Each structure stands twice: as C-alpha cells, then as structure tokens.
Amino acid sequence: MRYPQGGGLTAERQCRREELRLRAAERFARGEGSTAIARDLRVSVRSVQRWRHTWAEGGPRSLRSQGPASLPRLSEKQFAQLESELAKGPAAHGWEDQRWTLNRVKTVIGRRFDLTYTIQGVRKLLVRNGWSCQVPARRAMERDDEAVRVGQGSVAPRGRLAAARGAWLVFEDEAGFSMTPSQARTWSQRGRTPVVRVRGRSRRRISIAALTCYNPGHRSRLIYRPRRDDGRRDGRKSFSWRDYRDLLIAAHQQLGGPIVLIWDNLNVHKAAGLREFADSRDWLTILYLPSYAPDLNPVEGIWSLLRRSWLSNVAFSTPEHLIRTVRSGLRHIQYRSNLIDGCLTETGLTIRSA
C-alpha cells in the first residue's frame, strides 16, 4: 500500500484499504501464507508482508485506518477552478512553451488562491486528483479541432451506411521507410549508452500504400502495395493516381464487395483522373478526412506497429533487407485481424451493423 495512513486516498478508498487489511488479519490468524493472501485480495505480496509485521506487533487494531494525515488545503471546488486554469495552457499564464511543471503549477496556485505549496505538495495534490506526468501528443497548429469533431461524427453514419449496403469501410494511407531505423528502448549496462549502427548515407528506399478494411461480420483485412525508389533523380518517388487506381481495383477483387474509401486530402487523391475513375465505378464511394487529422486514420496505427516492432533498432544492410523486413511485418499483421481491429479502436471510431 503506497499510503499507509491514507495520505493520498479518498475516504472511500481508505475504508476499502482498511477492509482489505482486516480481512488479511483474519487469514494471518489462520496461518495462511502471504502469497495466497496477496493473490486473493489482489494486492502486492510486499503489502501483505508489511501488514503481517504490523499485525504481529499490535494485533488487528493496529491495521485500522488512522484517518487522513492532514486535510487538503484546496477544496474540491478550488481544485476544479485550478483545473480550469491549467486547461488554458501555460501560454495564458505567461510562459512561452506548452509545458506544465510542478513549479509552474505551484506559481498558479499562489496567484489564484494566495496559498503556498511545496513542490512535493503540488505533486501529491495532482496525483491525488488523477493527474500524472505524461509525454504529450503532437497536433498541427493548422488543425481545426471543431472540423475534426464534426468529421469524426460523420464517419459513424457512413460506417452504418456501409454496413447496410454490405460495403467495406476502407481507410488508406501511405508512408515511406528508409534504412535509418526507428529507435526503441533496449537494456544495457548502467552508464553505457547502447549504440545501434546504421547507414550514414540513407534516403527513402521504399514507399507503402496500405488499406485497412472493415465490415461487420467479416474478418478485418490489410491490403498493401510497395513502391521502391529506383534511385533516379528525375524518377517519381511517390505513388501516382494510377497506382492508387490499380490498388483499389485489386482491393475490390479481393474483398468481393462495394467499397467506401476514406483517406486524407493529399493532392494526388484528388487528381482528375482518379475522380473520373471513381465516378465511373458504382462500387466505389470516396470520402475525405478532415485536414491534419491522422489520429482518425487506423492505417497510422499500422505504421506505428511496424516502426515499434519489426523496424526498430535494425541495422539494414541493403535495400532488399529493408523491403524483406517491411513485408514480413505487414504479413504478420495481415494474419492477425485483432491488430487491425485495435488500430480502429485507437481512433475512437466504431462501425456498427445497421
């Protein structure tokens, strides 16, 4: 138990922890082992061992809660006001960057409530109210959050429409992979930074266009096509509208049903030739995601899986080595539809049957 005397716990949690300790005391008296007690009560063995030591010295009474160590200096209403101040961001309070530190929160408390907190007091206050120190997510400054919210709401009706007509809801995205691998954590001796050897002269060697395909009652699918950089300075290094056309035709043949395609606002996605192709195919409906909203595209999760697993810390020797590794990772994902479903869940979007 992290707070033996209830130091960061609410009154309800204090009662809950006291109940666990008293139940453990009854089993101590019966001579049961700490491991079995910890497993049944769903607490750590170390906590049970500490309770046993306290029980042996003072009996069951010593395991009762002593109440809060001190009353909180900020009431629930005041902390709600503090949260609203923090929600405005550091810039609204005079700091240039977008980072909340304990010292800055302490300053805001002093300005707003005329109270003096220590740094550790601020940390305990935040933790007690469900805050934690986290790595922030990136968002483009040009992103219109209201448009993203409206777009997210419009995808759900399209998903129900697709389900009603038996169509596949298909998301598309493309990404480039070079011989410089992504970095991942690895174990090493303390004080010795591990080193991953990579190619000093590296440029993009392969591009991948991928489709994640969803249809209630069917196994989710992943369809992809690679495009290798031929190394020519005057050659095309990205997909053309004809490449996307061929990919969609292949996807239609594999899925065996109509497609509702959702992708971003890339220029080539709006090419005249591609629009004419879509207009002439009754099995294809194209929709566009809001600008700067990659978090609504499940294919972004596929790229994340690749970079965090198969491509991380790999010293690629040749372009062929890179291509084999990318293909191996994508094949692994193709055979595990739960990974593809997880990428959709991560976006917050749902597809329901009509």
Side-chain angles (χ1 to χ4, degrees):
M1 185 177 64
R2 186 171 182 181
Y3 303 106
Q5 302 301 327
L9 302 176
T10 63
E12 180 182 357
R13 290 295 298 168
Q14 289 177 32
C15 294
R16 171 61 179 162
R17 297 298 294 195
E18 181 184 58
E19 179 185 351
L20 291 178
R21 294 195 297 272
L22 294 179
R23 288 169 58 186
E26 296 175 358
R27 302 181 66 168
F28 294 157
R30 295 197 296 265
E32 298 186 27
S34 298
T35 303
I37 296 174
R39 182 179 62 252
D40 294 343
L41 299 183
R42 301 182 69 179
V43 296
S44 68
V45 176
R46 184 177 178 183
S47 292
V48 175
Q49 291 172 343
R50 186 166 55 249
W51 297 347
R52 185 187 294 275
H53 179 74
T54 303
W55 172 81
E57 291 184 347
R61 178 175 296 182
S62 63
L63 293 177
R64 291 192 175 276
S65 174
Q66 302 300 317
S70 61
L71 295 176
R73 302 181 65 191
L74 282 183
S75 65
E76 293 184 3
K77 181 179 180 180
Q78 288 176 320
F79 188 80
Q81 295 173 359
L82 174 62
E83 284 187 315
S84 65
E85 293 294 332
L86 299 181
K88 297 176 183 177
H93 294 273
W95 290 286
E96 293 185 356
D97 60 37
Q98 305 175 58
R99 185 169 55 104
W100 279 121
T101 64
L102 295 177
N103 192 49
R104 292 180 178 181
V105 176
K106 171 187 173 182
T107 302
V108 174
I109 293 175
R111 293 173 179 172
R112 183 67 175 80
F113 305 104
D114 198 22
L115 290 175
T116 302
Y117 263 81
T118 64
I119 294 296
Q120 286 302 314
V122 173
R123 185 188 67 80
K124 291 180 180 180
L125 173 68
L126 295 178
V127 171
R128 185 182 301 125
N129 288 276
W131 285 58
S132 63
C133 187
Q134 306 174 38
V135 177
R138 291 184 177 180
R139 290 289 184 271
M141 296 181 66
E142 299 86 354
R143 173 186 171 112
D144 186 346
D145 289 333
E146 179 62 22
V148 172
R149 186 187 63 80
V150 173
Q152 187 174 12
S154 66
V155 171
R158 293 290 182 176
R160 290 193 292 270
L161 175 63
R165 58 183 293 197
W168 288 80
L169 195 62
V170 177
F171 294 85
E172 191 279 339
D173 194 42
E174 53 285 319
F177 300 93
S178 72
M179 294 178 63
T180 301
S182 55
Q183 293 178 305
R185 294 178 180 270
T186 181
W187 285 91
S188 179
Q189 276 189 325
R190 186 175 300 168
R192 294 188 179 181
T193 303
V195 176
V196 177
R197 302 291 180 181
V198 300
R199 291 282 181 178
R201 298 178 59 188
S202 174
R203 54 191 234 173
R204 188 166 69 175
R205 297 290 183 179
I206 181 174
S207 299
I208 300 289
L211 306 173
T212 53
C213 314
Y214 305 94
N215 194 341
H218 296 76
R219 184 176 66 87
S220 300
R221 306 281 291 276
L222 171 64
I223 302 173
Y224 69 92
R225 290 293 182 272
R227 179 186 176 89
R228 181 175 173 180
D229 181 5
D230 56 12
R232 296 170 49 192
R233 292 183 178 274
D234 56 345
R236 186 181 181 89
K237 303 183 185 304
S238 59
F239 288 88
S240 67
W241 72 267
R242 294 180 178 84
D243 295 323
Y244 291 114
R245 177 200 61 191
D246 297 341
L247 174 60
L248 293 174
I249 292 175
H252 176 57
Q253 294 173 349
Q254 292 185 41
L255 299 175
I259 292 174
V260 176
L261 176 66
I262 302 177
W263 55 11
D264 57 27
N265 293 271
L266 192 66
N267 291 339
V268 68
H269 292 170
K270 297 184 175 181
L274 196 55
R275 289 202 304 268
E276 294 175 2
F277 167 76
D279 293 339
S280 64
R281 301 298 189 276
D282 58 359
W283 51 264
L284 178 60
T285 303
I286 295 181
L287 306 174
Y288 297 94
L289 289 169
S291 300
Y292 302 100
D295 49 308
L296 298 183
N297 196 332
V299 187
E300 294 288 346
I302 301 296
W303 307 142
S304 179
L305 287 173
L306 275 178
R307 292 190 171 98
R308 287 187 288 111
S309 300
W310 291 272
L311 301 181
S312 61
N313 294 358
V314 179
F316 296 108
S317 55
T318 62
E320 289 73 21
H321 183 195
L322 170 64
I323 295 173
R324 287 197 307 270
T325 306
V326 171
R327 285 181 177 273
S328 175
L330 290 174
R331 281 198 300 267
H332 181 95
I333 297 173
Q334 280 181 319
Y335 290 121
R336 290 161 177 80
S337 59
N338 61 306
L339 296 179
I340 307 173
D341 293 334
C343 293
L344 177 65
T345 303
E346 189 178 10
T347 65
L349 303 175
T350 55
I351 303 175
R352 298 186 179 91
S353 301

